[in-house]
Amino acid sequence: MKRFFALAIVATMAMPLFAADGAAIYKAKCSACHGADGTKAIPAMGVKPLTAPEAKAKSLDQVVAIITKGQGKMKPVAMSPEDAKAAATFVKSLK
């Protein structure tokens, strides 16, 4: 039982590290077009705010697919599947 609680505490403490990774990946690979907080729009390039209702309605898997395969004028972003999921998780957390 003590091991379970110790594992639960370690897992809980590690959760912010995953979010930080997603934020760092987003900052490095996505923020130039989408802005630091995901609200940037560049209509001429088809960039819409990631905080818009249509973007928020997308599932995590859909966001990962957009990152890795591209959509519209957005080209695929080269990153590992783990990094794509971390970045997508960060995008889904944007308010």
Side-chain angles (χ1 to χ4, degrees):
M1 191 64 140
K2 288 181 183 179
R3 286 185 183 174
F4 173 77
F5 287 117
L7 181 60
I9 290 170
V10 170
T12 302
M13 292 172 64
M15 289 178 92
L17 296 176
F18 295 123
D21 288 344
I25 294 163
Y26 176 87
K27 182 178 179 183
K29 304 252 184 178
C30 310
S31 66
C33 292
H34 293 288
D37 60 358
T39 60
K40 189 173 177 183
I42 309 172
M45 291 180 58
V47 177
K48 298 176 183 174
L50 298 176
T51 55
E54 74 179 60
K56 298 304 281 179
K58 297 196 182 304
S59 71
L60 182 65
D61 289 339
Q62 288 174 313
V63 176
V64 169
I66 292 168
I67 292 169
T68 58
K69 297 176 182 174
Q71 178 177 310
K73 293 182 182 181
M74 179 179 153
K75 296 193 183 311
V77 181
M79 63 176 74
S80 71
E82 295 81 16
D83 285 355
K85 187 170 183 178
T89 300
F90 177 77
V91 166
K92 295 291 290 174
S93 76
L94 294 172
K95 304 264 186 246

